[in-house]
Amino acid sequence: MYLKKLEMQGFKSFADKTVLEFMPGITTVIGPNGSGKSNISDAIRWVLGEQSMKSLRGAKSEDVIFSGTQARKSLGFAEVSLIFDNQDNKLPVEFTEVTVTRKLYRSGESQYFINKTPCRLKDIIELFMDTGIGKDGYSIIGQGRIDEILSNKSEDRRNIFEEAAGIVKYKARKLEAEKKLERTKLNLLRINDILAEIEQNLEPLKLQAGKAKEFLDLREELKQIEVGLFIHNIETYKESLEKIISDEKILVDQNDDENKTVEKLNLLKQNLKIEIDNITAEIENIQNFGSQNIQEKEKLNSRNKCIKRKDRKQQTKQSKI
């Protein structure tokens, strides 16, 4: 396993995307002071999970983001990726090439990726455990680091040798297991306290459980009664509805019969009206005929009177003769 490539964008002085490729053997980065050589090692430590800004020669996390110059605006994020050749399967993953990425936004949001898959810082630390690679690993030795190692306590030097020997991972697992055991013990104590408290409340709980069971039984009985009453009401309403429908049918039939009778009476009324009109017309004709007869009678009577007067006059004249 070896470091193949380093990609940086927006990290400190590397505003544009910068790619450094490392071939097997020795790779040397040279340049004048202030050209960004130390920023390369800072980028490696940063992507491996370095949280101390003092170790990265900064005061706050945003200091690792390109802050801009007079000719260029500042960027909103910093991103660094390390690409490792893993053909010997030194890293416990199935990939022959492993890419570890860290991205920080100016808002403070930070993200870690392994082969472009989001992950936790803990996953990255466990990935490189016992490989000598890490923010505190012996593979990254900065200025004054050798003197610091030689002058440290024997316990600190032991940690470096254990990292090189590859047993740190097991020690970390042991510590984590011990912490889990301690938490389990505390949980057991808490469980015992809870059990003791539950035992004290067991009798009242039994009484409450009995009352609750009785309540449930009564509620179920009430539910059955309500269902029965509901069914009874439905049957009653159904019978009433059938009776109403039957009565309505009878009334409808009666109404139809009465309507037919009314129609017959209306027809009879119309016929009677026609007959009355005809009789009235005949009566008027008869009355007109009677008036004509009376007039003719009066005329005949008048003529008869005239004739009688004439006859009397002639008789008188004859008697005088």
Side-chain angles (χ1 to χ4, degrees), residues 107-258:
S107 61
E109 181 183 359
S110 180
Q111 294 176 320
Y112 293 91
F113 302 90
I114 296 178
N115 285 354
K116 298 183 180 181
T117 301
C119 64
R120 303 168 300 173
L121 173 59
K122 182 180 178 181
D123 298 327
I124 294 177
I125 293 175
E126 291 179 353
L127 178 66
F128 292 107
M129 192 173 290
D130 289 341
T131 62
I133 299 174
K135 63 184 181 66
D136 296 324
Y138 59 85
S139 60
I140 302 176
I141 300 176
Q143 295 178 1
R145 178 64 170 166
I146 297 176
D147 294 335
E148 183 181 350
I149 292 172
L150 295 176
S151 62
N152 277 340
K153 299 178 182 179
S154 59
E155 185 68 25
D156 296 333
R157 290 195 299 271
R158 181 180 177 182
N159 291 334
I160 296 174
F161 296 146
E162 288 177 348
E163 175 75 22
I167 63 174
V168 173
K169 176 170 60 177
Y170 302 103
K171 289 187 66 176
R173 290 179 180 176
K174 177 183 176 182
L175 291 174
E176 186 175 357
E178 289 176 350
K179 289 180 180 178
K180 287 183 179 179
L181 285 174
E182 188 65 26
R183 288 196 297 269
T184 302
K185 289 180 181 179
L186 294 175
N187 290 333
L188 286 174
L189 291 174
R190 178 58 182 160
I191 289 172
N192 290 331
D193 294 338
I194 293 173
L195 288 175
E197 185 177 354
I198 290 174
E199 288 176 356
Q200 293 177 357
N201 298 327
L202 194 58
E203 286 300 324
L205 288 174
K206 285 183 179 180
L207 294 175
Q208 293 178 7
K211 292 181 180 179
K213 185 176 183 301
E214 183 180 1
F215 168 75
L216 292 175
D217 294 338
L218 292 174
R219 188 175 67 176
E220 186 65 25
E221 184 178 356
L222 177 61
K223 182 179 179 180
Q224 296 294 332
I225 293 173
E226 289 177 345
V227 170
L229 179 61
F230 183 71
I231 294 174
H232 174 72
N233 291 335
I234 289 176
E235 294 295 332
T236 302
Y237 294 150
K238 186 177 179 181
E239 293 176 358
S240 300
L241 181 61
E242 291 176 352
K243 186 175 183 305
I244 290 171
I245 292 173
S246 177
D247 293 342
E248 182 185 11
K249 184 177 180 182
I250 293 172
L251 291 174
V252 169
D253 293 338
Q254 290 178 354
N255 187 43
D256 292 339
D257 295 338
E258 290 180 357

Side-chain angles (χ1 to χ4, degrees), residues 67-80:
S67 58
T69 62
Q70 293 180 352
R72 187 162 187 172
K73 294 183 179 180
S74 61
L75 296 181
F77 70 95
E79 182 177 2
V80 178

